[in-house]
Amino acid sequence: MGNLSRAIFDVVDMMLLLRQTDREEICSFRRNMEKAVCRTIVENHTFFNWRTHALELLNASAQSDSFSEQVELDRQFHYLLIHATENNFWITMMEPIADVYRRWIDAALLSADEQVTVQLHQAHMDMFQALENSDIVLCEKAIERHYDLVDGEMRKENT
């Protein structure tokens, strides 16, 4: 993580510590920013440059029997989307937010059952397909399904 990204991470972390924001706000922000990231990818036609790597991650995830490996591949897929914007500002701003968010999501995903894991993978496949077809509406629907599943798992983790 670069110095600027680290500073943003530290600011968000401090905001959490001082209760100036909370997990719900960050989760909502992350969900909406992922939609904006995907719109940027579609508008700038940059998906083709990242398509092969995205497909490799999705195939590896489908073939993995390890929940921890699937969680890592999930992380890599979402970071790939950030980088697929090919916009340094997006990358600098989104990576630290994703890093804060990852602290919560990793634990939730590690405890998810196989059905949820399959549904998350399908949401990733649907995002991939939508980006490949430059279909932002379907991409946003896939993002909503994905984050609904993640939010549900995080709520289970907190009970």
Side-chain angles (χ1 to χ4, degrees):
M1 183 183 314
N3 288 341
L4 288 175
S5 290
R6 182 67 204 181
I8 294 165
F9 177 89
D10 290 342
V11 166
V12 173
D13 222 23
M14 184 61 67
M15 289 176 70
L16 283 163
L17 190 64
L18 296 173
R19 299 182 191 261
Q20 292 178 345
T21 193
D22 60 24
R23 188 152 114 166
E24 186 176 306
E25 287 180 350
I26 291 172
C27 291
S28 173
F29 180 81
R30 178 78 176 100
R31 177 189 295 244
N32 288 304
M33 286 299 96
E34 184 132 330
K35 291 177 193 176
V37 161
C38 289
R39 275 193 305 276
T40 300
I41 293 167
V42 168
E43 289 167 4
N44 294 339
H45 308 287
T46 55
F47 185 68
F48 183 76
N49 300 337
W50 299 84
R51 182 192 182 282
T52 301
H53 187 64
L55 197 54
E56 289 169 357
L57 291 172
L58 292 171
N59 287 336
S61 178
Q63 295 170 5
S64 176
D65 292 329
S66 163
F67 281 134
S68 60
E69 183 179 10
Q70 288 174 357
V71 168
E72 174 57 21
L73 291 165
D74 177 275
R75 184 192 70 75
Q76 288 180 31
F77 180 78
H78 290 279
Y79 281 75
L80 177 137
L81 293 178
I82 295 167
H83 284 267
T85 64
E86 296 183 4
N87 178 311
N88 288 327
F89 188 79
W90 272 113
I91 295 165
T92 299
M93 297 301 287
M94 287 300 298
E95 279 189 344
I97 301 299
D99 288 344
V100 169
Y101 181 77
R102 290 308 311 180
R103 292 189 296 207
W104 306 314
I105 190 174
D106 288 355
L109 293 182
L110 283 171
S111 65
D113 63 32
E114 188 173 343
Q115 181 183 1
V116 170
T117 303
V118 168
Q119 290 173 336
L120 285 169
H121 179 73
Q122 186 59 53
H124 286 158
M125 291 298 295
D126 292 347
M127 282 191 267
F128 176 89
Q129 199 67 39
L131 288 169
E132 191 167 57
N133 295 323
S134 297
D135 189 335
I136 196 60
V137 172
L138 285 179
C139 191
E140 287 182 352
K141 286 180 182 178
I143 290 167
E144 283 295 325
R145 277 195 337 272
H146 180 278
Y147 282 94
D148 286 347
L149 288 163
V150 169
D151 288 349
E153 289 303 307
M154 286 182 4
R155 277 191 297 277
K156 280 191 226 175
E157 187 74 15
N158 288 331
T159 57

